[in-house]
Amino acid sequence: MTFVRIGGVPHHVVAEGSGPVCVLSAGLGMSWFDWDPVVPHLAPYRTVVRFDRPGHGLSAPAAAPPTAAGEADRIAAVIDALGHRGPVVVVGHSIAGFHAEAFARLHPDRTAGLVLVDSSVEEDPRPSRTTAPARALGAVLAAAGLPAALGPAVRDLAVRAGTVRRGGPRPDPGPAPVRTGPAPVRTDRALVRRVYRTSRVLRGTLLENARYGAVAAELLALREDRPLPPGLPVTVLAAPDGSARWERRQRALARRLGARYEAAEPSGHLVMRDRPDQVARAVLDVRRGQGGA
């Protein structure tokens, strides 16, 4: 396992494959292994970088509440720590769509493309004034032992709710095989349980959720002051999943960003699990600044 220190906080980072770089950032409360189904589609053609934000996966707790600019700078710091200097394709799922877009606006020279995977959308965000309630709730739940008792079960429920269920509910299978040599080695569910039994992940998720409105409002301000690079390839890959309202909002986001809109079907919110091939294709379609593939 690789850890890099950013702002004094150890961050868990995984880099695989070879070629132009793409960075995958997962949604609220999710971990690096949620991208596992996508990696085999990308690694033969791209250097695939995944990382856990503070309080997520195996990364240490956050030193400060998240901001849009801070998350954009975090992505840049991860790339720097791995020694990558050229432009990268940034892929953000759900709330990380805010972070990926902020990166493209604040680090335009380092952005080769932007892929938003069923990204969060907020037309009129309402920022919370404080994170104190979230911190207090996290402390109470941790003291009661809820993460250890219920964390993995809550994770399973979230995965079931976020994926298309063919043949009825199924448990979270855990990370996909990790190639460490000629033969694939499957990481067992003990790793998933290890991550989601911790109060650290609970607290990190609550903190990010408490800052959701503030980060969304900050991004709206960036859209006014920091335009995307001219000609930047942007894809909005949405999972309407039968919701006409959600599809309208995703299409509106694509128009706002001058992006190509694509529907992932069939798919729930966890598009990387239901349609990993489609996510990978959106990344591989990006050519700008990377010389093709």
Side-chain angles (χ1 to χ4, degrees), residues 216-237:
E218 187 183 350
L219 180 60
L220 289 186
L222 285 175
R223 287 177 181 171
E224 298 299 322
D225 299 332
R226 303 295 292 265
L228 291 173
L232 180 74
V234 182
T235 297
V236 170
L237 179 59

Side-chain angles (χ1 to χ4, degrees), residues 142-236:
L146 262 65
L150 299 177
V154 172
R155 155 76 184 189
D156 280 349
L157 289 174
V159 170
R160 288 172 175 171
T163 51
V164 173
R165 296 180 291 278
R166 301 179 184 87
R170 59 185 183 277
D172 179 7
V178 177
R179 190 168 295 280
T180 57
V185 177
R186 177 167 290 279
T187 307
D188 61 30
R189 269 185 54 80
L191 182 55
V192 180
R193 296 185 64 83
R194 173 185 168 189
V195 167
Y196 288 96
R197 283 174 58 88
T198 64
S199 63
R200 172 180 48 79
V201 170
L202 169 67
R203 293 169 189 258
T205 301
L206 290 173
L207 180 61
E208 274 204 351
N209 188 62
R211 290 285 298 169
Y212 175 88
V215 172
E218 187 183 350
L219 180 60
L220 289 186
L222 285 175
R223 287 177 181 171
E224 298 299 322
D225 299 332
R226 303 295 292 265
L228 291 173
L232 180 74
V234 182
T235 297
V236 170

Side-chain angles (χ1 to χ4, degrees), residues 38 45 59 71 79 125 159-160 196 208 217 235 240 242 244 252-253 272 276 282:
V38 178
Y45 316 103
S59 291
E71 295 308 317
I79 300 167
V159 170
R160 288 172 175 171
Y196 288 96
E208 274 204 351
T235 297
L253 174 63
M272 65 279 263

Side-chain angles (χ1 to χ4, degrees), residues 16-265:
E16 301 159 278
S18 60
V21 179
C22 63
V23 181
L24 312 181
S25 187
L28 180 70
M30 302 185 72
S31 302
W32 84 98
F33 49 67
D34 285 295
W35 293 104
D36 273 1
V38 178
V39 173
H41 296 275
L42 288 175
Y45 316 103
R46 296 288 186 271
T47 298
V48 184
V49 175
R50 296 177 281 169
F51 70 99
D52 292 324
R53 295 189 299 280
H56 289 61
L58 298 177
S59 291
T67 65
E71 295 308 317
D73 292 344
R74 191 185 316 282
I75 295 171
V78 167
I79 300 167
D80 287 342
L82 296 177
H84 300 302
R85 304 301 178 206
V88 304
V89 176
V90 184
V91 185
H93 169 253
S94 195
I95 194 174
F98 291 161
H99 311 158
E101 184 184 338
F103 175 86
R105 294 182 183 280
L106 293 172
H107 300 274
D109 293 341
R110 307 194 67 177
T111 309
L114 177 62
V115 179
L116 304 180
V117 181
D118 214 36
S119 176
S120 297
V121 179
E122 288 298 328
E123 299 85 356
D124 186 23
R126 299 179 180 180
S128 173
R129 295 183 179 181
T130 176
T131 60
R135 295 180 185 276
L137 177 60
V140 169
L141 295 179
L146 262 65
L150 299 177
V154 172
R155 155 76 184 189
D156 280 349
L157 289 174
V159 170
R160 288 172 175 171
T163 51
V164 173
R165 296 180 291 278
R166 301 179 184 87
R170 59 185 183 277
D172 179 7
V178 177
R179 190 168 295 280
T180 57
V185 177
R186 177 167 290 279
T187 307
D188 61 30
R189 269 185 54 80
L191 182 55
V192 180
R193 296 185 64 83
R194 173 185 168 189
V195 167
Y196 288 96
R197 283 174 58 88
T198 64
S199 63
R200 172 180 48 79
V201 170
L202 169 67
R203 293 169 189 258
T205 301
L206 290 173
L207 180 61
E208 274 204 351
N209 188 62
R211 290 285 298 169
Y212 175 88
V215 172
E218 187 183 350
L219 180 60
L220 289 186
L222 285 175
R223 287 177 181 171
E224 298 299 322
D225 299 332
R226 303 295 292 265
L228 291 173
L232 180 74
V234 182
T235 297
V236 170
L237 179 59
D241 199 21
S243 171
R245 181 173 181 269
W246 185 240
E247 181 174 14
R248 286 195 301 270
R249 296 177 72 191
Q250 291 287 317
R251 286 186 179 276
L253 174 63
R255 289 193 297 271
R256 176 72 182 267
L257 302 182
R260 178 173 68 92
Y261 174 84
E262 184 177 346
E265 296 175 328

Side-chain angles (χ1 to χ4, degrees), residues 1-30:
M1 294 182 181
T2 300
F3 290 85
V4 300
R5 190 171 292 274
I6 299 171
V9 177
H11 287 62
H12 175 234
V13 179
V14 178
E16 301 159 278
S18 60
V21 179
C22 63
V23 181
L24 312 181
S25 187
L28 180 70
M30 302 185 72

